[in-house]
Amino acid sequence: MKVTIIGAGPGDPDLITVKGLTLLQEADVVMYADSLVSEDLVKKAKPEAEVVKTAGMHLEEMVALMVDRVRQGKKVVRVHTGDPAVYGAIMEQIVLLKEAGIGVDIIPGVSSVFASAAALGAELTIPDLTQTVILTRAEGRTPVPETEKLKDLAKHHCTIALFLSATLTKKVVKEFLDAGWSKDTPVAVVYKATWPDQKILRTTLEHLDADMHKNGMRKQAMILAGWALDEHIHEKDYRSKLYDKEFTHGFRRGVKS
């Protein structure tokens, strides 16, 4: 008596976890957000599986279908883009499922933020530069809590990943500048990370809005901002202690030069 929520990853059907794929292939009912999840992945379901597109369904409609199929004794999976824990809207599904006496298992997936970093060849936490990553979004039609305004978060001057913010770049730029960021701060944008039509844009805070508009990036774009995104970071002398020959840790004794 349970539903399994599976993180499908960012787009590339090969980026689902082994466990997620196994459960997908075993499922009798596969429900997926067809506006975001790759159809090539869903095609990996067994031929007799009932496949349900949910982009046009409201919450109660989706959950009612899940409950009905589970009570028929069927294995039901709900496939989410990226990782379900980040902007996955799973909490409200879980609430209604639990009210119906249905349990929930969650299989994590590769988030678009990390797929984007991989596409850029970037490390988001550079020693002596930044050791913090903030995952957030700009405030649009859906408000953010008063204590989580982008201007306030940006005051940490760390790496910031912006979900769901591609149409709000004018506001994003203003908030960063108001927080004291320089106009030449590196920003990278990855449109549809890992999909066949993936696009990468490298720009600066000053030119972010114009460059995104020029490249038609108004949805499904991950915005990564901060000096860890400097294109020339590899030419600079930032080194971790982990592999420093003079640094001692539990698996290696350091050797002085």
Side-chain angles (χ1 to χ4, degrees):
M1 292 287 285
K2 67 181 180 182
V3 168
T4 302
I5 295 174
I6 299 173
D12 182 345
D14 290 335
L15 285 178
I16 191 172
T17 64
V18 174
K19 186 171 186 177
L21 179 59
T22 298
L23 291 167
L24 171 65
Q25 292 172 329
E26 292 175 351
D28 303 307
V29 181
V30 177
M31 302 178 67
Y32 76 108
D34 45 301
S35 59
L36 297 169
V37 175
S38 169
E39 288 198 10
D40 288 339
L41 173 60
V42 177
K43 287 176 183 176
K44 296 178 186 291
K46 60 188 180 184
E48 65 272 26
E50 178 186 4
V51 177
V52 181
K53 297 180 179 182
T54 63
M57 300 172 71
H58 59 71
L59 173 65
E60 289 77 11
E61 188 178 4
M62 285 191 299
V63 173
L65 193 150
M66 293 181 207
V67 171
D68 176 73
R69 300 303 189 269
V70 169
R71 287 176 175 169
Q72 290 181 36
K74 295 181 178 181
K75 291 184 179 179
V76 178
V77 301
R78 169 89 168 110
V79 185
H80 277 255
T81 186
D83 183 282
V86 184
Y87 302 109
I90 62 172
M91 182 272 296
E92 54 260 46
Q93 297 175 57
I94 293 170
V95 168
L96 294 181
L97 287 166
K98 287 189 173 181
E99 286 178 357
I102 307 295
V104 178
D105 282 346
I106 301 173
I107 310 302
V110 177
S111 171
S112 60
V113 62
F114 304 119
S116 297
L120 294 162
E123 181 176 353
L124 302 181
T125 53
I126 303 293
D128 298 323
L129 182 64
T130 179
Q131 293 288 278
T132 301
V133 181
I134 293 176
L135 311 183
T136 189
R137 64 171 179 80
E139 185 171 43
R141 289 189 301 169
T142 304
V144 300
E146 189 61 37
T147 55
E148 296 179 15
K149 301 297 183 183
L150 185 54
K151 177 183 174 181
D152 295 325
L153 297 179
K155 288 177 181 176
H156 293 286
H157 288 261
C158 58
T159 302
I160 295 186
L162 289 166
F163 292 73
L164 308 170
S165 301
T167 60
L168 300 165
T169 44
K170 281 187 171 64
K171 178 181 289 188
V172 166
V173 171
K174 183 180 185 305
E175 296 289 318
F176 277 109
L177 294 176
D178 287 348
W181 287 46
S182 63
K183 291 181 179 180
D184 63 345
T185 301
V187 181
V189 184
V190 182
Y191 167 77
K192 295 189 74 173
T194 79
W195 289 80
D197 53 345
Q198 170 186 286
K199 291 182 185 177
I200 291 175
L201 168 66
R202 286 189 178 273
T203 185
T204 61
L205 195 56
E206 181 179 16
H207 299 294
L208 174 64
D209 180 68
D211 286 349
M212 284 186 66
H213 185 77
K214 182 169 61 179
N215 284 275
M217 295 178 171
R218 309 315 280 174
K219 61 179 180 178
Q220 290 179 266
M222 171 59 61
I223 302 171
L224 296 169
W227 284 97
L229 282 308
D230 183 356
E231 272 192 279
H232 305 290
I233 195 76
H234 309 93
E235 301 166 14
K236 300 179 181 179
D237 192 26
Y238 293 109
R239 297 286 185 91
S240 72
K241 294 292 187 185
L242 182 60
Y243 302 114
D244 186 335
K245 67 180 181 180
E246 296 185 4
F247 186 68
T248 296
H249 57 64
F251 295 92
R252 187 189 71 234
R253 181 171 293 281
V255 178
K256 297 295 181 183
S257 298

